[in-house]
Amino acid sequence: MRQAPEQLSFLPPLPFCPTWPKRGTPADRALGMLMDGRMIDHPDFEGSTQSWRLGAVIFTLRTLGWPVETIEVPSPTDDNPHRIIALYHLDGKYTAQALALNGGGT
């Protein structure tokens, strides 16, 4: 797994204050899966939502302020021995903070 170098900053981090996605959207469903503590990949998401657009949904969540982490996992095939897939995860501390900011519910 490759780790990108981290830029040091002398500024304090921005406060965690995400925007909730619109109810019933793929972003809302993905966020629910992540807030349940799940690591999700494309097959998980497609099986739950019938949507193959997980990358776009994760981009949307990040745009809304959700710090979704990507974990790259080698997943070679005969046709692509260097294939890497992405697992997405939301640290539990953000789930707790979001629920506290929102009065305990979404």
Side-chain angles (χ1 to χ4, degrees), residues 10-92:
F10 296 105
L11 301 173
L14 295 175
F16 176 67
C17 189
T19 302
W20 294 86
K22 185 176 177 181
R23 286 238 187 237
T25 61
D28 179 54
R29 296 192 58 196
L31 181 59
M33 294 167 75
L34 293 166
M35 289 182 75
D36 284 342
R38 294 173 56 183
M39 282 194 190
I40 58 174
D41 61 12
H42 184 272
D44 291 335
F45 184 71
E46 186 173 12
S48 294
T49 66
Q50 286 68 54
S51 172
W52 53 271
R53 303 269 311 171
L54 180 58
V57 168
I58 296 299
F59 178 84
T60 297
L61 289 174
R62 289 176 174 154
T63 300
L64 293 172
W66 295 94
V68 178
E69 299 172 20
T70 301
I71 301 166
E72 294 181 341
V73 179
S75 185
T77 66
D78 289 339
D79 293 333
N80 187 354
H82 303 290
R83 179 177 170 233
I84 295 175
I85 63 168
L87 289 175
Y88 298 100
H89 173 70
L90 182 65
D91 192 303

